Amino acid sequence: MQQGSFCYVAGTPVIEAQGLTKFYTLGKETVRALDRVDFTATQGDFAVINGPSGSGKTTLLNMFALIDRPSEGEVLFEEKPTSRLTEGELALLRREKIGLVFQTFNLIPVLSVAENVEYPLLLTKTPRAERRERVAARLDEVGLSGFERRRPDELSGGQRQRVAVARALVTEPRAVLADEPTANLDSGTGKQIMELLQGLNRDHCVTFLVVTHDPSVVGYAQRVLTIRDGRIQGEEKRGAPGPA
Amino acid sequence: MTIKIATRNVFRNTRRTLISLLVIGVGLTILSFVLGFVGEAILAAKRSLAMELGAFQIGDPRVLDGKASGLEGLIPPEIAERALALVRGLPGVAGATTQVRFAGLVGDERGSTLLLARGIVPEDCMTDYACMIVAGRGLGTTDAREIVLGERLGARLGVAPGDRVNVATGTVAGTLNAATVTVVGLIQYGEAQVEERLGLVPLGFAQRLLRTNGVERVLVWLDDLDRSSPYAAELNRAFSTERLPLAVRTWDELTPFFASLQTFWSAFSGFTTLAVFVLVFFSVLEVLTISFLERTREVGTVRALGASRGRVFAGFVTEGLVIGIVGGLAGAVAGAAVSLVFNSLGLTFVPPGGNMPQPIRVAVGASTLAIPFLVALGATVLSSLYPAGKNARLTVVEALRSV
Ligand SMILES: Nc1ncnc2c1ncn2[C@@H]1O[C@H](COP(=O)(O)OP(=O)(O)OP(=O)(O)O)[C@@H](O)[C@H]1O
Ligand SMILES: [Mg+2]
């Protein structure tokens, strides 16, 4: 695992959006969910995309997560365009290089905490011994050592989201994308999750992109982008991130 | 891991899974019972027929093939003796006897009715039908002036064991002859129409009445019924080298309806198998469709994490497989248990097509267990394909948006 001190590739683009546009057609009406979005997230970035409900945050994040395709424009992952990639190639990028954290945690209910964290490693066919080691390390990092055998429904919301964070990081991805990770948590727990993400960002030199409409999350970011009606309205850079 | 996740998913909604397993279990119990019963019914019919007719019969070919009446093709006693001697010397022969059949009238002063009589050698159940006696006793010596009547014939005549009746028939020479005989017993015979006319008399008495010393046919029983055909072929050869005017017909040649009976039973088994397959298919389809659609968001999650459509599809089909295996095993065990309990009741019946009562048994064996198991497996896997495909076809975003 790359440690903060070895974050020598900082500044290398990881995810880029070029003229990203997305239309949704509802009957005769066309909704423009994203309108020519340009954006670059570099190695080690901690960026928050902030905007009101319906502004296109989830739509944008889904493009970055390579689970949705733009109507126009291009998403580049590690400087390579993705629009021509097959579904299989996109899935490969997702499982090897992207970690996802969802608003509703999205753990697999029939799997234990450890098995949930292990799941992405099964997709990448990681050997058993290495899987164990990595799962233990990630669970330790999110403060859930000792909870390995619990089922998701035996955890609090905050604990579930920690499991989800451990799962997102277990494959050592280049980017972790989180859609409203604190929206289903109380403010105290949300704060803890954001602090966790911030610490992990420093330790792992992984790019974090967090989408939110929660102003309290904004304070953790180095970069804050505001989106409104599918357009990036502006960006604020912050030197020393910390809670608002 | 796929199997582990599938198994856990199967048992996630216990109530629903139990319903599936119950449907499969009941379906398979019925199926394995029917398959086991049909297999045994065919065997029982075969045993019943072979018990009454013998594994094969020797006689005038025209008589055996029903092209001439018994009296037209009687076997002279010395030839019958030679045939009997030849047969009794063969290994695996369980017994042999001679019979003569004739038609006549039976009754008393109150009225008479048609009689289809068999002159038999009282010896054991195989030869003298003693095990089918329902009232009175079987025939005594081979010369006695006694008759055993079909139960229905006795009822029609209003006679019971101990009563006397008159029997009249034409002799071999074409003259009439009659005698008074004592009814000693009544028998139940599988075919009602035959039972209404059936009378058994001792062979010696029948020969006196017909004024002959010949017999119509020689019945031969074997230890192993399946060896009927080779024995028949061998005897046919021996008869032609010895220039005896005799032919051999095996039990199944004598009962051409047995083949159609067997076809009917096989069709019945096939239909039941199909019906259970369809039942399992549709009930499991319904359960799996609901269960899979509930988990669309989980599909979105694993696809977002990078799982392929194929993996998602395989996961759901594996669930079908798990239900099929568990249900199939449970159903096979339940079917075997019901069959064994049924067998332990020790019931008897006259199998369709036969006349001699047989124990009703339900076979429990590889085919009555394996076929239902495969039906369950096939039907559940097949029923998982459509809902599995439906989930696997969704885009990641669609799947994630579903609640
Ligand atoms: N599948 C879809 N079909 C039609 N319209 C859609 C679809 N997905 C999103 N939209 C529309 O696109 C716009 C942006 O939606 P999006 O979900 O990206 O907003 P959001 O910023 O994530 O909102 P929220 O904060 O409520 O999650 C909205 O107007 C929404 O109605
Ligand atoms: Mg959203």
Side-chain angles (χ1 to χ4, degrees):
Chain A
M1 180 115 302
Q2 296 157 325
Q3 294 301 312
S5 50
F6 296 108
C7 198
Y8 52 88
V9 280
T12 315
V14 177
I15 298 178
E16 292 162 80
Q18 294 177 347
L20 220 52
T21 301
K22 181 77 176 180
F23 303 115
Y24 286 114
T25 326
L26 290 171
K28 282 185 180 169
E29 235 181 300
T30 304
V31 180
R32 190 180 281 257
L34 289 179
D35 191 4
R36 287 162 290 166
V37 171
D38 294 306
F39 169 75
T40 301
T42 57
Q43 176 87 36
D45 264 358
F46 195 114
V48 165
I49 299 169
N50 183 30
S53 182
S55 57
K57 304 183 296 294
T58 297
T59 307
L60 181 61
L61 202 76
N62 286 349
M63 306 284 159
F64 289 156
L66 307 179
I67 58 178
D68 202 1
R69 292 181 192 263
S71 310
E72 285 165 16
E74 180 71 78
V75 172
L76 292 95
F77 193 87
E78 293 183 319
E79 302 177 83
K80 288 191 275 295
T82 58
S83 60
R84 303 247 164 132
L85 296 183
T86 64
E87 213 178 273
E89 289 164 335
L90 291 176
L92 182 72
L93 279 178
R94 288 202 297 274
R95 58 180 177 260
E96 291 187 340
K97 308 216 164 174
I98 296 174
L100 289 178
V101 176
F102 303 87
Q103 176 178 338
T104 48
F105 323 133
N106 291 25
L107 300 177
I108 302 170
V110 294
L111 297 184
S112 69
V113 164
E115 287 163 342
N116 263 288
V117 178
E118 187 186 12
Y119 188 84
L121 296 176
L122 292 165
L123 297 180
T124 57
K125 302 197 165 64
T126 308
R128 192 186 165 85
E130 193 183 337
R131 290 202 307 262
R132 286 195 168 182
E133 200 177 299
R134 288 213 210 173
V135 169
R138 294 294 79 77
L139 281 177
D140 185 43
E141 227 164 22
V142 301
L144 284 178
S145 291
F147 288 79
E148 287 81 358
R149 294 168 152 288
R150 295 260 193 117
R151 289 290 171 94
D153 60 8
E154 296 163 349
L155 299 177
S156 70
Q159 288 169 329
R160 287 183 214 186
Q161 197 62 302
R162 286 168 187 272
V163 176
V165 169
R167 176 176 69 182
L169 279 166
V170 78
T171 54
E172 299 178 1
R174 298 297 309 275
V176 171
L177 312 179
D179 190 356
E180 314 261 13
T182 60
N184 278 24
L185 303 172
D186 63 66
S187 61
T189 314
K191 202 169 155 233
Q192 287 171 10
I193 291 290
M194 287 315 297
E195 278 163 9
L196 175 68
L197 293 183
Q198 198 179 42
L200 292 167
N201 167 251
R202 284 201 207 106
D203 292 347
H204 293 294
C205 190
V206 178
T207 305
F208 274 72
L209 265 181
V210 180
V211 146
T212 187
H213 66 249
D214 178 359
S216 69
V217 167
V218 169
Y220 294 90
Q222 302 158 351
R223 301 174 62 190
V224 181
L225 292 98
T226 306
I227 185 168
R228 197 173 293 271
D229 295 331
R231 267 182 231 154
I232 302 272
Q233 299 264 299
E235 179 175 347
E236 186 190 333
K237 282 203 179 3
R238 303 179 174 207
Chain B
M1 189 70 170
T2 307
I3 293 170
K4 182 158 82 183
I5 295 178
T7 309
R8 289 188 194 168
N9 274 325
V10 165
F11 292 103
R12 189 159 156 186
N13 189 324
T14 329
R15 202 179 64 95
R16 193 189 289 148
T17 301
L18 284 180
I19 291 172
S20 298
L21 293 180
L22 199 70
V23 171
I24 298 173
V26 169
L28 293 200
T29 304
I30 295 170
L31 180 57
S32 72
F33 190 84
V34 166
L35 292 179
F37 179 78
V38 165
E40 274 297 318
I42 293 174
L43 270 182
K46 199 166 151 178
R47 273 200 306 266
S48 176
L49 286 168
M51 199 164 158
E52 182 182 1
L53 302 172
F56 54 81
Q57 296 187 353
I58 301 166
D60 185 306
R62 292 171 305 153
V63 175
L64 293 182
D65 295 339
K67 293 191 181 109
S69 84
L71 300 191
E72 292 171 275
L74 289 179
I75 313 167
E78 64 284 356
I79 293 181
E81 279 312 314
R82 271 173 67 190
L84 272 176
L86 193 67
V87 161
R88 287 197 171 118
L90 292 173
V93 169
T97 191
T98 48
Q99 274 187 12
V100 62
R101 299 181 180 187
F102 61 94
L105 288 171
V106 63
D108 52 23
E109 70 284 358
R110 289 173 292 168
S112 298
T113 186
L114 183 64
L115 171 73
L116 295 174
R118 299 182 188 179
I120 61 172
V121 181
E123 197 176 323
D124 58 35
C125 179
M126 272 198 302
T127 63
D128 67 11
Y129 305 76
C131 45
M132 294 153 77
I133 300 277
V134 289
R137 59 169 172 85
L139 297 172
T141 62
T142 187
D143 277 335
R145 276 205 233 167
E146 295 174 347
I147 192 164
V148 168
L149 295 176
E151 196 181 21
R152 285 163 197 267
L153 178 55
R156 175 184 281 199
L157 293 173
V159 298
D163 292 343
R164 291 165 151 255
V165 291
N166 300 313
V167 172
T169 186
T171 66
V172 172
T175 58
L176 271 174
N177 202 0
T180 301
V181 296
T182 308
V183 177
V184 295
L186 299 174
I187 73 163
Q188 240 167 26
Y189 194 80
E191 266 173 278
Q193 280 139 310
V194 176
E195 197 186 290
E196 281 171 6
R197 312 202 186 299
L198 185 65
L200 306 172
V201 295
L203 179 63
F205 169 71
Q207 287 173 326
R208 285 207 307 280
L209 199 61
L210 297 168
R211 297 200 182 287
T212 180
N213 49 16
V215 297
E216 182 190 306
R217 57 185 80 208
V218 177
L219 283 64
V220 181
W221 287 271
L222 296 179
D223 292 330
D224 179 5
L225 191 58
D226 292 337
R227 291 173 64 189
S228 307
S229 295
Y231 268 67
E234 197 177 314
L235 280 172
N236 270 329
R237 243 177 287 126
F239 292 150
S240 66
T241 44
E242 296 202 25
R243 296 181 175 281
L244 292 174
L246 298 175
V248 181
R249 295 288 180 269
T250 56
W251 68 275
D252 46 340
E253 288 169 340
L254 292 164
T255 52
F257 66 89
F258 181 76
S260 48
L261 191 78
Q262 210 166 5
T263 311
F264 168 78
W265 279 122
S266 308
F268 183 66
S269 296
F271 178 76
T272 311
T273 308
L274 186 73
V276 169
F277 187 93
V278 169
L279 169 85
V280 171
F281 175 81
F282 281 106
S283 39
V284 174
L285 177 68
E286 179 156 349
V287 171
L288 291 187
T289 303
I290 297 169
S291 148
F292 291 3
L293 288 183
E294 269 179 4
R295 281 182 276 143
T296 301
R297 212 157 60 97
E298 277 168 50
V299 170
T301 304
V302 298
R303 291 279 312 283
L305 295 179
S308 64
R309 286 179 200 270
R311 193 181 181 96
V312 167
F313 184 77
F316 284 117
V317 174
T318 306
E319 285 185 39
L321 202 69
V322 169
I323 294 178
I325 290 173
V326 174
L329 287 177
V333 168
V338 169
S339 300
L340 292 175
V341 167
F342 184 84
N343 288 346
S344 73
L345 299 178
L347 304 175
T348 62
F349 76 140
V350 175
N355 294 305
M356 298 277 195
Q358 300 289 326
I360 319 186
R361 288 183 33 92
V362 179
V364 178
S367 75
T368 67
L369 299 177
I371 292 174
F373 178 77
L374 293 177
V375 164
L377 202 61
T380 49
V381 170
L382 205 67
S383 64
S384 70
L385 294 182
Y386 176 71
K390 212 167 155 180
N391 259 347
R393 268 196 305 276
L394 291 172
T395 68
V396 182
V397 175
E398 277 167 353
L400 277 175
R401 284 166 64 96
S402 94
V403 190

